[in-house]
Amino acid sequence: MSRPIIYITRKIPSSIIKPYEDRFHFRMWTEDDTPVPKDILWKECKHADGMISMLTENLNREFLRSHPHIQIIANNAVGYDNIDIDIARKQQTVVTNTPDVLTETTADLTFALLMVTARRIIEAHQVIENDEWKQWSPYFLAGTDVYDQTIGIVGMGRIGEAVARRAKGFNMKILYHNRFRNEAKEEVLQAEYTEFNELLQRADFVVSLVPLTAETFHLFDAEAFQKMKRSAIFINASRGQVVDEHALYNALKDKQIHAAGLDVFAEEPIRRNHPLRTLKNAVCLPHIGSASMQTRTNMLKLCVENIDGYFYGDGPKTAVTPLR
């Protein structure tokens, strides 16, 4: 058997693929922090047997139908909304993701974003950066308490559970909404299942951790923000397109809700002049939910293990489509 050709769409450390070089012929886009251009992606994948892809690659119907010879796509993320999964299933292209290895890291970032937004940390840092700290006053940069408040988690998957565990440490009352109720989780996490609209009305912090699907697209729209408390803080660490950003902008500008902390956006990357960036009550991060050195390395290692398992083992560890 000749070595399968694997195309990697972003530069990754050579140490991750070195143990597998006698089994695969790896090709890689080598520009640091720059997505592979579409024409090069298509050219490189013309003869590839498999690929390791990032969320920046749009592996849509056109791409997949033009590359039916690609046997496996190892997507370096939990989500795989950058891939036309229906076409992948029809032509038996195996797709894998990277669950579990990034759960705790993403939960850390989600809760950090919640705290940074609540306590106005970015604004406070900017005050010193701009040499604007002149004197102390009772309500200077006064924020919102986190301890003993109510958190509403929309999407109680692995990351949602991990965020709930952190919330317990802050003595928070935990509400959650999910496609399916899980009474076992409720007992362990001391969480209360609620309908979506009830959660919006009761929670001090509304945290979105849902996957992007046809049902969740613009789940958080103008109507949803109108149901929230005026003191509520909205956190999104899932996918940008689950939020109607125009509606969120208006809700923040008009003080329908208190603040928002966002790690994801409908179109990425955003620029400084993005409407949400112009608001003091919006904290914006550049999609760094899983961005720790250890976790990003483990994610890439899992991608390579999935590729190796498919071609030489008992199958990939984390397939999201049926095997060929």
Side-chain angles (χ1 to χ4, degrees):
M1 176 181 176
S2 60
R3 289 184 299 164
I5 298 170
I6 308 299
Y7 185 63
I8 306 173
T9 66
R10 195 65 66 93
K11 184 178 181 180
I12 68 174
S14 58
S15 59
I16 293 175
I17 59 176
K18 188 173 182 58
Y20 301 89
E21 287 180 340
D22 60 335
R23 301 153 79 90
F24 298 98
H25 177 65
F26 291 106
R27 296 184 60 83
M28 185 190 310
W29 174 247
T30 58
E31 297 294 327
D32 285 325
D33 296 326
T34 303
V36 57
K38 179 180 175 180
D39 59 333
I40 295 177
L41 173 68
W42 281 53
K43 180 181 177 181
E44 289 286 352
C45 289
K46 187 175 180 180
H47 302 293
D49 300 294
M51 61 188 298
I52 296 175
S53 61
M54 313 294 153
L55 281 175
T56 47
E57 278 67 72
N58 182 16
L59 307 183
N60 56 17
R61 177 187 302 258
E62 182 187 14
F63 175 86
L64 292 174
R65 285 186 168 169
S66 298
H67 299 82
H69 52 278
I70 293 178
Q71 299 177 50
I72 180 170
I73 299 171
N75 207 43
N76 187 44
V78 172
Y80 40 88
D81 47 276
N82 58 312
I83 302 170
D84 190 321
I85 209 73
D86 291 332
I87 297 299
R89 287 193 178 102
K90 287 177 183 177
Q91 64 187 40
Q92 295 185 299
T93 301
V94 176
V95 176
T96 70
N97 65 343
T98 59
D100 297 327
V101 293
L102 53 66
T103 296
E104 301 300 335
T105 303
T106 305
D108 281 348
L109 188 281
T110 302
F111 209 83
L113 182 57
L114 182 154
M115 294 187 69
V116 163
T117 306
R119 295 301 305 272
R120 303 173 64 182
I121 302 298
I122 304 299
E123 288 182 75
H125 173 81
Q126 203 62 47
V127 163
I128 293 180
E129 186 73 16
N130 297 336
D131 198 24
E132 296 171 346
W133 188 17
K134 306 303 181 185
Q135 60 186 4
W136 182 90
S137 62
Y139 292 99
F140 177 58
L141 287 170
T144 300
D145 282 330
V146 175
Y147 185 83
D148 208 28
Q149 300 300 296
T150 298
I151 185 172
I153 300 172
V154 185
M156 188 63 90
R158 295 180 181 90
I159 297 171
E161 290 182 53
V163 170
R165 291 198 301 273
R166 286 153 178 77
K168 285 179 66 178
F170 283 75
N171 199 41
M172 300 183 84
K173 180 175 180 59
I174 302 167
L175 310 178
Y176 82 98
H177 178 75
N178 206 44
R179 286 179 298 173
F180 306 106
R181 182 174 180 177
N182 189 322
E183 295 181 0
K185 288 181 185 178
E186 292 172 23
E187 184 174 351
V188 171
L189 299 171
Q190 297 176 334
E192 177 186 346
Y193 177 83
T194 66
E195 293 300 327
F196 180 61
N197 288 335
E198 182 183 353
L199 181 147
L200 296 178
Q201 293 165 0
R202 293 174 57 191
D204 299 302
F205 297 89
V206 176
V207 181
S208 172
L209 291 167
V210 295
L212 176 61
T213 65
E215 290 74 27
T216 63
F217 178 78
H218 283 190
L219 175 66
F220 295 94
D221 57 10
E223 184 179 353
F225 294 122
Q226 288 168 4
K227 287 184 169 69
M228 294 183 194
K229 298 178 180 180
R230 294 183 70 85
S231 59
I233 292 177
F234 175 67
I235 304 295
N236 187 15
S238 53
R239 287 289 182 265
Q241 290 177 316
V242 306
V243 178
D244 180 340
E245 290 183 350
H246 180 70
L248 175 58
Y249 172 83
N250 287 333
L252 291 167
K253 180 174 66 71
D254 298 339
K255 308 296 184 184
Q256 290 179 355
I257 63 172
H258 182 66
L262 310 166
D263 187 43
V264 290
F265 300 88
E267 294 185 13
E268 299 177 355
I270 66 167
R271 298 290 180 241
R272 183 183 297 179
N273 63 351
H274 187 284
L276 288 166
R277 273 280 294 114
T278 66
L279 300 174
K280 283 189 175 182
N281 56 344
V283 174
C284 301
L285 302 181
H287 204 148
I288 57 171
S290 62
S292 74
M293 293 295 292
Q294 182 178 351
T295 293
R296 289 288 171 87
T297 298
N298 288 340
M299 290 168 66
L300 288 166
K301 284 182 176 179
L302 179 55
C303 286
V304 181
E305 289 169 4
N306 278 327
I307 295 277
D308 188 62
Y310 174 81
F311 284 103
Y312 295 105
D314 297 326
K317 293 181 176 181
T318 55
V320 296
T321 59
L323 302 185
R324 285 177 178 242

